Amino acid sequence: MATDTAVRELDAVVIGAGFAGLYMNHRLRDTLGLDVHVIEAGTGVGGTWYWNRYPGARCDSEAYMYCFAFDQDLMQEWEWSGKYPEQPEILSYLNHVADRFDLRRNMSFETRVSSAHFDEESNRWDVKTDKGEHYRCRYFITGIGCLSSGQIPDFPGRDTFAGEAYHTGAWPHEGVDFAGKKVAVIGTGSSGVQSIPVIAAEADHLTVFQRTPQYMIPARHGNVDKSVLDEIKTRYETIYEKARHSVGGFPYDVQDRSALDVDDATRQDIFEQSWEDGGFKFMFNSFSDLRTSLPASELAGEFIREKIKETVKDPEVAERLLPLDHPFGSKRVLIDTNYFDTYNRDNVRLVDINVEPINQINETGILAGEEQHDFDIIVYATGFDAMTGSFNKIDIRGRNGQKLKDKWEAGPLTYLGLTSVGFPNMFMITGPGSPSVLSNMPVAIEQHVELITDTVRHMDSSDLELIEAEPEAETAWVQHVNELAEPTMFMHANSWYLGANIPGKPRVFMPYAGGVGTYRKHCEEVVAKGYEGFTFTPADESVSA
Ligand code: NA7
């Protein structure tokens, strides 16, 4: 590590150059005229889409909704090619945004923030990096993503494997050549499910190690006619406004009907139609209660299980792929392209690790149960230490030197998923306790960035030095987040939403399940009531820097 250089005084430091960091930079720097610096670990912008370059990586939000809506010209000029945006295209889009708004000129790349300490003497944040840089700023803002801290389970002997091993979330930029190779994929979440069909088509042989069978909705991915996208562009503002006030950040019509209130034939027809449409519409646009009623969710689950049995030719393999231990909608709903079909290929094998556990990883491969499987490549599609993992990697300290990691030992404590008591002038874009991963992320990110911008503008125009959440407001918010999750399907599975994928992580539901529209309204009310739940410190009451 380099030695400490001179301290650089700034208005704000932003961590991350994904959707969140790019837009935050634009707003603070170009709208408010602040002196901002963005610190990014990658060699370029893109965040999630910089790191997750595995084969088949694609967003599950439809392309026309997976972009910024803050600039009409930007919206009109960008041309998406398909129904769902693929990783290279999203990365190109974010690079285009960075070019268009000249966002790189105040960014450091290949740099990680190692610590951020709030100094109570000066009311400034001291932010230090692994390159030895030291920034001192008023506002400390994280745009570090919710799924950025990859996890590879500690399988015995994991590091003895002599072949190539990759985590989907840290994929080599030059790609991986699977031709003629024997490949293992461990994990069947979004990343596994997207990559498995592509790897199977390239590799000599693929073995999938599955812990939990999953429910999936077909993506129905494909090229979209330019005329369709052009027509959407004529209604863009209306479409986005609808999404901003929706549950999931999508402009889908919400059906006010229960899956339990229609007869079997009608329900089957509606499920079939939504299945044909593909994607998240199956969840949001078929019935209103798939996320909240166990019997309704079970009906959807049964429909999907039948589809799996119809698709997978070998009945024994189909049986192993049936999700039975958790209801539909209790884990992240997956959107697939040819996933189940892939198990009809001769070069693909499925290992259920509940029956044949991964006992050891050794030099040549994986010992599962009593059987040794030899591989050239192991792909870990084993997910992330979600929502809090990236915070815990940074030494963040607030008042009295309190570490955020310690404060969150029993689960993240935030007010609005945006701030945390004892950490003044620190803002988290899509932090735990906000809709974030339960929504179409750009919609959630724009709302957070604009709220932070308005707050900073308000503070500057009112000569306010600090903003800090009040303990009662935070306690009530955490309780509210828990109460919202309680009646949902989310409480019926071991998912990363609950931290259940990380051994020892407290089992706490982390995102806000009330929907982006309700959340936005709540934030607007907080502001309208004079930032209810926050305390401001006027500049003249604070110690000057
Ligand atoms: P996910 O969705 O967390 O999936 C990880 C997968 O890895 C999942 O199938 C896990 O099984 C499996 N896993 C995790 N730990 C183990 C161990 N120890 N042994 C065997 N299998 C394991 O991560 P993704 O990267 O696919 O997707 C993350 C999000 O990115 C996604 O939801 C989108 O929002 C985008 P489990 O189901 O826990 O039994």
Side-chain angles (χ1 to χ4, degrees), residues 48 52 54 60 147 151-155 167-169 186-193 209-214 331-334 353 358 381-384 437 494-497 500-501 503:
T48 289
N52 286 267
Y54 59 84
D60 290 340
L147 295 155
Q151 72 113 10
I152 297 184
D154 200 9
F155 296 117
H167 185 273
T168 49
I186 304 176
T188 54
S190 293
S191 308
V193 161
F209 292 85
Q210 168 194 268
R211 185 164 71 177
T212 309
Q214 301 265 20
K331 289 164 88 92
R332 162 73 149 75
V333 171
L334 306 184
I353 67 165
I358 297 178
T382 44
F384 300 87
V437 288
N494 290 323
S495 69
W496 53 260
Y497 295 134
N501 62 329

Side-chain angles (χ1 to χ4, degrees), residues 152-162 361-363 380:
I152 297 184
D154 200 9
F155 296 117
R158 188 188 67 189
D159 299 330
T160 61
F161 180 59
I361 297 193
N362 48 41
E363 205 180 331
Y380 292 97

Side-chain angles (χ1 to χ4, degrees), residues 13-212:
V13 165
V14 177
I15 317 181
F19 270 96
L22 287 171
Y23 188 35
M24 193 77 254
N25 185 25
H26 176 54
R27 279 286 169 232
L28 293 181
R29 190 193 71 180
D30 303 332
T31 306
L32 300 186
L34 300 190
D35 194 3
V36 184
H37 198 71
V38 179
I39 301 169
E40 164 58 50
T43 57
V45 303
T48 289
W49 302 105
Y50 171 92
W51 298 102
N52 286 267
R53 297 170 189 242
Y54 59 84
R58 185 189 300 146
C59 184
D60 290 340
S61 297
E62 290 187 57
Y64 72 93
M65 282 307 298
Y66 198 72
C67 45
F68 288 117
F70 67 84
D71 187 284
Q72 284 299 316
D73 293 339
L74 171 65
M75 290 174 93
Q76 293 299 326
E77 76 200 9
W78 185 258
E79 305 276 348
W80 293 108
S81 65
K83 182 177 178 188
Y84 296 94
E86 300 186 354
Q87 176 271 331
E89 201 172 7
I90 306 172
L91 191 57
S92 299
Y93 170 74
L94 291 171
N95 273 292
H96 170 72
V97 172
D99 290 340
R100 194 182 200 289
F101 297 98
D102 189 17
L103 294 174
R104 291 191 199 80
R105 74 179 138 89
N106 57 325
M107 289 184 178
S108 294
F109 293 101
E110 292 183 86
T111 307
R112 287 184 182 274
V113 171
S114 42
S115 67
H117 295 177
F118 182 69
D119 174 26
E120 294 188 71
E121 291 289 305
S122 61
N123 286 336
R124 293 290 182 271
W125 280 91
D126 282 303
V127 179
K128 295 185 180 175
T129 74
D130 62 354
K131 294 271 171 69
E133 294 143 343
H134 181 172
Y135 301 94
R136 175 162 272 232
C137 56
R138 243 183 106 186
Y139 301 105
F140 168 57
I141 301 169
T142 60
I144 53 182
C146 301
L147 295 155
S148 328
S149 181
Q151 72 113 10
I152 297 184
D154 200 9
F155 296 117
R158 188 188 67 189
D159 299 330
T160 61
F161 180 59
E164 300 165 49
Y166 306 101
H167 185 273
T168 49
W171 203 256
H173 288 201
E174 62 280 11
V176 176
D177 183 5
F178 291 103
K181 302 280 174 59
K182 296 202 181 330
V183 182
V185 173
I186 304 176
T188 54
S190 293
S191 308
V193 161
Q194 288 186 339
S195 58
I196 283 164
V198 183
I199 296 173
E202 285 177 29
D204 174 53
H205 192 273
L206 170 65
T207 305
V208 177
F209 292 85
Q210 168 194 268
R211 185 164 71 177
T212 309

Side-chain angles (χ1 to χ4, degrees), residues 371-443:
E371 192 181 348
Q372 172 70 23
H373 304 253
D374 286 347
F375 297 111
D376 302 302
I377 301 173
I378 297 177
V379 174
Y380 292 97
T382 44
F384 300 87
D385 184 355
M387 311 214 61
T388 53
S390 306
F391 286 97
N392 289 342
K393 282 187 173 167
I394 306 168
D395 175 14
I396 300 173
R397 299 187 198 191
R399 288 196 186 279
N400 304 313
Q402 185 186 28
K403 293 184 180 176
L404 189 69
K405 190 176 178 179
D406 291 346
K407 181 180 169 182
W408 286 6
E409 202 178 3
L413 302 173
T414 71
Y415 181 42
L416 303 176
L418 186 73
T419 58
S420 192
V421 173
F423 296 79
N425 286 10
M426 171 181 167
F427 296 105
M428 296 167 265
I429 305 170
T430 65
S434 75
S436 61
V437 288
L438 297 184
S439 68
N440 180 31
M441 286 300 273
V443 173

